[in-house]
Amino acid sequence: MVFQGLASLSPRKLMALLSNCRKVKVIRLFFVFADRHGHAWLKHLDKSKLDFGKGDRQLVKGGKIHPTYRITVPTEFVTMGQGSDDA
C-alpha cells in the first residue's frame, strides 16, 4: 500500500538514491514493486546504471522467482506473463 502512494517521486532523486544503494536485494525489490504498480517515473529510471548483481537472490522461502529481477518473492508478486529472464 505504501508503494502505491509514491506516484509523485522525482526520477532524478530516485536515481541518486538507487545509485548509492549497495544492497542488490533492495534494488531488485524496489523494481519488482515499481513494475507492479506502474508508476510514471519508472520509464525515466536508467536501469543500466544500477548494479543488479549476478545470480539469483532470495527474499522469502517458498516464494517464486521473479522472471525479470531474479529475486524470490511471495507468489502473489509474480503475475503470469510478467517480464523475461533479463535482469
Side-chain angles (χ1 to χ4, degrees):
M1 287 178 52
V2 172
F3 216 87
Q4 289 175 335
L6 302 178
S8 63
L9 293 178
S10 164
R12 189 177 13 186
K13 289 179 183 176
L14 276 176
M15 275 305 296
L17 289 170
L18 290 167
S19 295
N20 288 317
C21 182
R22 298 292 165 234
K23 301 291 184 182
V24 171
K25 283 184 182 180
V26 170
I27 295 171
R28 291 184 187 193
L29 187 60
F30 176 85
F31 279 101
V32 167
F33 281 113
D35 283 355
R36 181 177 174 156
H37 293 288
H39 290 301
W41 44 256
L42 181 59
K43 63 184 171 203
H44 299 288
L45 300 180
D46 187 358
K47 294 179 189 176
S48 68
K49 293 184 179 180
L50 300 173
D51 180 15
F52 283 88
K54 301 276 187 224
D56 294 344
R57 300 294 197 275
Q58 185 175 16
L59 185 65
V60 296
K61 291 185 185 267
K64 194 170 185 180
I65 191 93
H66 190 279
T68 303
Y69 300 110
R70 309 303 301 164
I71 185 169
T72 303
V73 293
T75 306
E76 60 269 15
F77 291 179
V78 180
T79 58
M80 297 301 287
Q82 184 178 30
S84 62
D85 285 343
D86 301 334

